[in-house]
Amino acid sequence: MEDRTASSSMLQKIEPQQTLATDNPSGDLIAYNNRKKAVQFKASHGLLLTFFFWIFSLHALGIFFFTKGFLLTRLVLDHKSECASPPIDLPGSRPGSYSAGCWYPKTFDKAVIIVIDALRYDFAVPFSGTSHHFHNALRVLHETAVQQPETAFLLPFIADPPTATLQRLKGLTTGTLPTFIDLGSNFGGTAIEEDNLVMQLRAAGKTLVHLGDDTWHSLFPGYFDANLTHAYDSFNVWDLHTVDNGVTEHLMPLLKTGSGKWDIIIGHYLGVDHAGHRYGPDHSAMNDKLKQMDRVIRDIMVALDDETLLVVMGDHGMDTKGDHGGESDDEVEAALWMYSKKAVFGHGHNGLMEPPSTAKERPVGQIDLVPTLALLLGMPIPFNNLGSPITEALVGSKQPDWQKLAAVNALSAAQIQRYQHAYSAARGLGKDVFSVAHTLWTIALDMWHGACQNTAPNAEVFAAFTRYQTENLRICRSLWARFDVPGMVYGIALLGCALAILAYYARATTFFRAEDSPLFLRQVVLYGAFGLVLGLSIGLTGASPGMLDSTLLGAAGGSIVGFAYTIIEIPHGYPLPLPNSTWGWLSLLITGLQTVGFASNSFTIWEDEILLLFLATFGLMSLASSIRQEKATDRALGILQSSFFLVLTRIASLSRLCREEQMPYCRSTYYSSATSSTSASWQLLIPFALALLLPSFVKGYYKGTQSYVGSAVLWIGFALRMCLLASAIYWTLDAADDNDWLNISKDTLRILKTTMAQLVLGISFVAGTTYYAWATPCISIDIPEAVENGSAETQPKTTKPKPMTVHGYSNMHGSRYFLLLTNWLIAIILLQKPMGGGSIGLLALQILALLEIIDANALSRSAIGPVTLAMLGNFHFFKTGHQATLSSIQWETAFIALKTIRYPWSPLLVVLNTYGAQILTAVAVPLVVLWKQPPKKRGVLGDVAMAVATFMLYFAAVNLATAMWAGWLRRHLMLYRIFSPRFMTGAAALLVVDLVGIFVAVAGVRWNLVGVSEVFGWA
């Protein structure tokens, strides 16, 4: 890289009279012109920030409207079931009381409900093959269900996605299906206001005790006895023991000596879930937690009395890496176990006595728990429940009690029929919606009346009510899968208009016209204000789509009209944003192919490999283009950097985290194994290799332009290397903590790790930003001594000044701005796992190689630079252990620099981990224009604006495409597994790169240009 120095004018000779000295009359004029240009630049820069923030607002509004229409909704009814008002009369009975049982005689007075978070079904059944750490550790559930089938049963417990704890607890207490948005009186909060089992127990005067996960207190504030309840923070996934030990510590005394103080105890253990998140299921820590749960359950069984029901369940499962949130089999297949010392359970109704060996056999839905517990405890079934009683809990311990099964299913079905009638009336649904279910209800009801008169078998009545409940559940699933199509159309329209504006701004302008910006923004503001008033007026009339929506749509639509009007009225006009070069057409082709490809689930699943293909295509084309360059230096540098870019891309592709749909054609390398969430021991070498090599490579690029002087020496030669070394030490300490390598307490290790992480982040963001803001350009100046001419005998001596030599002159903008990129590089590498940190290091080198390719091929104004940067960002999103799935989010990142959850810092750390690659490439966009540019080049700000707009344009196109295809394929079988997560990933990425592009990249350019111009003057 250094052999390019002499021939690329990196050494600039400047005559003394060219300097900004003011010892002559023209000095004051030069100073005045510089001040004037500085004011003009700052005004133009402020207008540019305003324009991009308007684009961000359009993106945010478009995503808001589409998401609001796309995410499923249901109407929450405020109705409550009453103890004295059963939905159907049972023969020979009358409305009961809480003491005897409301709708049906109760079986138990008390209950202990144990939630083992993320208890997957295969954790609870024996395994005879090659076992993993999670096999055969929790034995008590299957053991008792086999040996004492009349006192215990074990069943697969299927969760409805999304498999997040909060959504699952709603389903487990209300008996309703999950949706993303519940419309009702509690829209603004998380507390459950609709009828639920906890509310019914409280209304019955029961004393409720909660121990463990504090999510329960968000959902049911004030429901639990304050003196006996102990809640714990649920988000610290690094802590495997505090919550579990605390639950057990307070639970056992209540069971042994405090039986008269409580009626219902809910204990929510988190250790299994946290072990999965931190290590993955196949780790010794998981084995230890499951064995601990086995001991706890055995102790609880001993302490129970005959009138207390024990329920142990998982709220969801976990995938092969220990994460959850999606709808894969491993994530939805939890376990349910019930136990009582009196023989009340049975299995004889189907002739199968032993628990299922897999979760595919005889599963029950989690919503079925609600009517089951309500009937066992003598409570009314919550009004909105859609579940059916679990047969094993009510069939009887000897011969199947078909009469009892028919009666409890008649009650459950009648309550569902009552809810169905109320929901149809509230929604204005026609009779045809539930026509099939109504027919099945009529048949079952007639059979029920026949059974009451001994003219129909109870077993057939039970089957008839089961068919009705199954059909009704199917209808409700389809009903709540109804989308707000107008809202989705509004969102897509806004996103499409924002895309068109960006395309025009980025690629239709031939040069930046600062004088146009005030006119753009003036019309945008004026028309936007008019649209806002118009939308508000429409909203006040009560017309659809409502006041808030119409106001926002009016303001956004008006501003778009204002921009379009300005385009038409500008005298010099703007051409269509069509490419005019091979590289431009390649940029359009790559972006277009991706937007079309997202209509395919296979394309979306294999997006990481497709991005590898596109990047390799760019590398090969740049190699071919470099070979054709006329200048030998450009040709040699282009060939070298294109080859280097291809090699780096291939090395980066070796890091991968496979999603479920890619198996068995993909092998994960990001973690130590496919079933782990920890790094392999050899991967700890990667951060140390980065600390050793990455600063040296960056230094080589700087030396290639004679820029490794001044500010660069301290920040790249020392600060970057030391911070990377500190990151390497952090991850070594983390591995030592995971594997117990050091004879140091966990608390001490935790303090060391968080302190080191905070120090690195402080250096990168606080010290680094300050250093960048005040740094001088990366140049050095040689001032030679003057040469004397003449002699005393012949003529007077004269002094002839020699030109000054400025090292790094031709890359003054790029070398200084890269210091800002280094700050973000340090932080993002720290927040990635070792393999991810290596990927980010490769990304930094690919960015430098790309900048050299752009320079060698004179592509600084082409779209290919920003588009390739955007592809690199998305490519390394996958290479840092992420996928377009909720379960791949690395939540543990929130605790790298913090001991507990702290807002907004914890979410920001997760964002930096998840979108670190896109953030780094967003910060790097101005370098496409600034790299190897002299200090007084004209139109730099305009070129930067075009590059940033082009970069945003790529992400806007991807987001619009994923939104359109998700909307179009909203009935696709893979909507919530593939298309919906990809839309959400793309939407979040767009908003993140918008904000980083505005407040880091464009704002950082101001500091850069001001710092350079203070030395050499304004162009």
Side-chain angles (χ1 to χ4, degrees), residues 129 178 292 381 592 596 778 789 810 901 944 962:
Q292 180 188 9
I381 298 174
V596 173
C778 300
N789 295 323
S810 295
I901 292 289
V944 168
T962 55

Side-chain angles (χ1 to χ4, degrees), residues 1 84 157 186 201 243 258 348 405 423 473 499 526 558 604 744 803 899:
M1 287 175 285
F157 199 39
N186 64 323
L201 290 167
V243 177
L405 286 179
Y423 190 85
L473 185 59
L499 182 75
L526 288 176
T604 307
I744 302 176
K899 295 180 180 179

Side-chain angles (χ1 to χ4, degrees), residues 354-475:
E354 291 196 1
S357 58
T358 71
K360 302 296 186 294
E361 306 169 37
R362 293 152 45 205
V364 296
Q366 290 195 350
I367 58 174
D368 296 341
L369 180 69
V370 173
T372 304
L373 287 182
L375 293 168
L376 290 174
L377 296 172
M379 297 291 111
I381 298 174
F383 189 86
N384 296 336
N385 166 72
L386 295 173
S388 306
I390 297 172
T391 305
E392 282 79 356
L394 296 157
V395 68
S397 60
K398 298 179 181 178
Q399 294 297 321
D401 190 342
W402 295 111
Q403 182 178 6
K404 182 178 181 180
L405 286 179
V408 295
N409 277 275
L411 284 170
S412 175
Q415 175 54 45
I416 291 174
Q417 172 68 12
R418 183 154 64 176
Y419 167 73
Q420 180 196 99
H421 177 75
Y423 190 85
S424 298
R427 277 290 196 191
L429 301 177
K431 294 182 179 180
D432 58 315
V433 175
F434 288 98
S435 58
V436 176
H438 183 72
T439 300
L440 292 175
W441 166 253
T442 303
I443 294 172
L445 192 61
D446 290 342
M447 294 180 67
W448 166 251
H449 291 315
C452 293
Q453 299 172 7
N454 297 320
T455 60
N458 283 296
E460 295 183 8
V461 176
F462 162 70
F465 279 123
T466 300
R467 285 192 295 270
Y468 163 73
Q469 292 173 100
T470 301
E471 173 63 17
N472 190 82
L473 185 59
R474 184 195 67 79
I475 294 172

Side-chain angles (χ1 to χ4, degrees), residues 573-905:
Y574 286 85
L576 291 176
L578 295 176
N580 55 11
S581 68
T582 302
W583 289 109
W585 283 108
L586 178 63
S587 303
L588 180 61
L589 179 64
I590 287 174
T591 306
L593 287 175
Q594 288 188 75
T595 57
V596 173
F598 285 119
S600 165
N601 57 348
S602 298
F603 181 100
T604 307
I605 290 169
W606 292 99
E607 184 182 357
D608 52 345
E609 297 298 320
I610 292 166
L611 285 168
L612 174 62
L613 171 65
F614 286 146
L615 289 171
T617 301
F618 164 78
L620 291 173
M621 286 197 65
S622 67
L623 181 62
S625 176
S626 299
I627 293 173
R628 298 171 57 193
Q629 295 302 309
E630 294 182 1
K631 289 184 178 181
T633 53
D634 288 342
R635 184 166 57 251
L637 186 66
I639 292 172
L640 174 63
Q641 295 302 325
S642 297
S643 302
F644 191 43
F645 183 89
L646 285 168
V647 171
L648 291 172
T649 302
R650 192 60 195 169
I651 295 174
S653 70
L654 299 178
S655 172
R656 66 176 66 91
L657 178 69
C658 304
R659 57 187 294 163
E660 182 186 17
E661 295 84 1
Q662 292 177 326
M663 306 303 290
Y665 307 106
C666 178
R667 179 175 175 270
S668 293
T669 60
Y670 190 77
Y671 294 111
S672 59
S673 70
T675 59
S676 174
S677 291
T678 59
S679 300
S681 298
W682 68 266
Q683 291 175 333
L684 297 177
L685 297 175
I686 296 175
F688 287 99
L690 275 181
L692 177 65
L693 299 176
L694 184 58
S696 298
F697 273 98
V698 176
K699 176 181 176 181
Y701 279 96
Y702 267 69
K703 282 193 170 184
T705 61
Q706 291 291 300
S707 300
Y708 192 68
V709 291
S711 304
V713 176
L714 174 62
W715 200 249
I716 293 173
F718 180 76
L720 175 60
R721 193 182 299 277
M722 290 300 102
C723 287
L724 292 178
L725 180 61
S727 297
I729 295 172
Y730 172 89
W731 286 108
T732 303
L733 291 175
D734 181 73
D737 188 12
D738 291 343
N739 298 284
D740 296 324
W741 290 344
L742 301 176
N743 189 21
I744 302 176
S745 69
K746 296 284 186 180
D747 290 339
T748 303
L749 272 177
R750 186 68 181 148
I751 293 172
L752 288 174
K753 289 194 302 180
T754 54
T755 301
M756 186 163 294
Q758 290 170 3
L759 179 63
V760 172
L761 292 176
I763 292 174
S764 62
F765 287 130
V766 180
T769 302
T770 304
Y771 188 79
Y772 172 74
W774 295 99
T776 57
C778 300
I779 58 173
S780 66
I781 302 175
D782 291 340
I783 304 177
E785 295 182 0
V787 178
E788 292 185 354
N789 295 323
S791 63
E793 294 80 7
T794 59
Q795 58 185 3
K797 292 183 178 181
T798 61
T799 301
K800 182 181 178 180
K802 293 184 66 176
M804 296 181 296
T805 302
V806 181
H807 298 266
Y809 181 87
S810 295
N811 193 25
M812 197 174 302
H813 285 302
S815 59
R816 188 186 186 282
Y817 183 85
F818 193 84
L819 299 179
L820 177 62
L821 183 74
T822 305
N823 298 338
W824 289 83
L825 177 67
I826 291 170
I828 292 171
I829 286 179
L830 169 70
L831 297 174
Q832 305 294 333
K833 299 288 179 68
M835 199 74 168
S839 173
I840 295 297
L842 293 175
L843 172 58
L845 295 179
Q846 284 179 289
I847 290 172
L848 286 167
L850 175 63
L851 298 178
E852 295 289 353
I853 292 170
I854 290 171
D855 174 64
N857 292 273
L859 298 174
S860 63
R861 292 181 58 83
S862 172
I864 194 64
V867 169
T868 303
L869 275 176
M871 285 195 298
L872 282 172
N874 280 349
F875 178 68
H876 284 273
F877 167 82
F878 296 104
K879 301 300 112 182
T880 52
H882 300 97
Q883 285 283 351
T885 58
L886 294 176
S887 59
S888 70
I889 298 175
Q890 299 170 23
W891 298 107
E892 63 272 22
T893 308
F895 302 97
I896 286 180
L898 300 168
K899 295 180 180 179
T900 59
I901 292 289
R902 291 185 182 178
Y903 295 97
W905 311 116

Side-chain angles (χ1 to χ4, degrees), residues 137 301 470 492:
M301 292 169 60
T470 301
I492 289 174

Side-chain angles (χ1 to χ4, degrees), residues 476-489:
C476 287
R477 288 185 190 277
S478 64
L479 270 180
W480 294 340
R482 289 188 174 182
F483 301 87
D484 178 12
V485 176
M488 295 164 63
V489 171

